[in-house]
Amino acid sequence: MEVIICDTQEAVADRVANYIKYLINKKENATLGLATGSTPIKLYKKLIELYNNNEVTFKKTTTFNLDEYYNIDGDNIQSYRYFMNKYLFNKIDIDIDKSKAHFLICLEGENPNLIGDLYEKKIINAGGIDLQILGLGSNGHIGFNEPSSSFMSKTRIKTLTQKTIDDNSRLFNKNEYQPNMAMTMGISTILNAKYIILIATGENKSDAVNRLISGAISSKNPASILQNHKNVIVILDEDASSKVNNIDYYLNAAKENKKLQEQFGYFHELK
Ligand code: F6R
């Protein structure tokens, strides 16, 4: 696991956007796994800037969103499809082929098991995910894989914990319906990605970040399983990194890695 600590949230967004640019310029038909939530908004803004400057094109990119609330239509302003259109896809509209942007919409009456299985097949048919972007829940969730989720899990429906419902209530109006279930890629689906970049910003993530990097690997803390993935980069701002043990080691390693990567390139496993 590589840990990169940036001065500000803007610098985090910049760094991740540049990884994505590098990846797409290396493999133009790359498949990206994308996350929603507050954390990646600055990243998407940065990607739009790169796109407008003709530094990157998404013409041949396929995307899979990590998760989606259950029984929320894709046009609903609370849906993650709406979020992606608002923060990224509509701004690069002339470029992205939306039939290659996949979402996990599952409405009442539809069988979540079949939708989950189909999503898995679509990911396989696309050749797997080259780079998965993740945020981090303050309870250690990745996607909506809540504590106690199986490390073997595939895309499926999950009931959200009260902690996640409370954390996300800031995004819903007082009388608005807030779902307590969601479709999510499973932990094993996430681990199948060739590369993973997890982003965390803000002091409120600092405990979860420390447990992710140096806590015991346990289904009680789903993100901890990323310690076992061979190509994970955790990119933090200073606030989110404030409780990382042995921080000097990571600062030093990041400097050394940067030198090597500038010389030999990134994403060496991608052809
Ligand atoms: C969103 C997702 C979630 C969020 C996490 C952090 O697609 O999968 O795991 O990444 O809940 O959310 P924010 O960024 O809002 O703090």
Side-chain angles (χ1 to χ4, degrees):
M1 179 178 284
E2 217 181 310
V3 179
I4 296 174
I5 299 161
C6 302
D7 296 347
T8 60
Q9 296 191 7
E10 280 67 29
V12 170
D14 218 54
R15 190 76 185 248
V16 182
N18 277 299
Y19 273 115
I20 293 176
K21 173 181 139 181
Y22 188 98
L23 175 106
I24 292 177
N25 288 340
K26 180 167 180 165
K27 182 178 176 185
E28 59 173 5
N29 63 343
T31 300
L32 297 179
L34 297 176
T36 57
S38 305
T39 313
I41 291 177
K42 288 192 170 66
L43 161 66
Y44 296 146
K45 202 167 160 230
K46 189 71 204 164
L47 285 180
I48 294 163
E49 263 174 55
L50 293 178
Y51 167 79
N52 287 334
N53 291 340
N54 296 321
E55 292 183 53
V56 66
T57 166
F58 297 94
K59 245 182 209 124
K60 300 206 169 147
T61 309
T62 298
T63 64
F64 286 89
N65 262 76
L66 251 184
D67 43 18
E68 180 60 271
Y69 284 122
Y70 171 62
N71 201 21
I72 290 269
D73 192 274
D75 295 328
N76 186 308
I77 57 167
Q78 292 296 351
S79 76
Y80 286 166
R81 195 181 83 152
Y82 186 95
F83 175 104
M84 290 308 301
N85 280 337
K86 176 174 170 188
Y87 288 107
L88 184 64
F89 295 155
N90 284 348
K91 312 274 171 62
I92 53 172
D93 206 33
I94 37 161
D95 204 19
I96 197 150
D97 175 357
K98 280 193 188 159
S99 68
K100 291 208 206 112
H102 301 279
F103 293 93
L104 267 167
I105 311 278
C106 181
L107 301 177
E108 201 173 348
E110 293 179 314
N111 185 338
N113 301 323
L114 295 183
I115 290 176
D117 291 349
L118 186 65
Y119 212 60
E120 291 289 328
K121 283 195 188 109
K122 283 184 185 166
I123 293 174
I124 292 167
N125 289 341
I129 291 174
D130 294 308
L131 173 64
Q132 175 68 54
I133 302 295
L134 295 176
L136 177 64
S138 61
N139 65 355
H141 74 208
I142 45 175
F144 275 132
N145 294 286
E146 298 284 41
S148 84
S149 289
S150 162
F151 289 159
M152 308 294 278
S153 54
K154 296 282 184 192
T155 304
R156 70 213 184 291
I157 192 163
K158 280 296 288 183
T159 301
L160 304 178
T161 59
Q162 195 55 46
K163 174 80 179 123
T164 295
I165 292 171
D166 292 347
D167 281 355
N168 287 353
S169 63
R170 70 188 193 283
L171 303 167
F172 290 81
N173 293 324
K174 206 162 161 257
N175 295 321
E176 200 175 7
Y177 166 66
Q178 183 180 356
N180 68 343
M181 293 174 99
M183 295 293 297
T184 180
M185 281 187 201
I187 295 186
S188 141
T189 320
I190 293 170
L191 293 175
N192 278 336
K194 295 179 191 90
Y195 288 85
I196 296 175
I197 293 181
L198 181 141
I199 319 169
T201 53
E203 211 279 325
N204 61 327
K205 296 291 171 70
S206 58
D207 282 314
V209 163
N210 187 39
R211 287 188 290 125
L212 146 73
I213 296 173
S214 50
I217 296 180
S218 160
S219 62
K220 287 186 195 143
N221 178 24
S224 62
I225 192 62
L226 297 176
Q227 293 173 23
N228 275 358
H229 188 283
K230 63 179 176 164
N231 294 315
V232 175
I233 311 174
V234 174
I235 306 190
L236 308 168
D237 69 350
E238 280 183 354
D239 291 338
S241 74
S242 57
K243 294 186 180 143
V244 172
N245 294 329
N246 207 5
I247 198 161
D248 289 342
Y249 169 75
Y250 293 112
L251 289 169
N252 190 35
K255 261 192 230 151
E256 298 298 346
N257 287 336
K258 194 157 190 280
K259 276 190 254 162
L260 287 170
Q261 288 163 347
E262 278 167 5
Q263 197 178 354
F264 299 110
Y266 303 84
F267 303 116
H268 71 282
E269 287 188 28
L270 296 184
K271 302 285 172 274

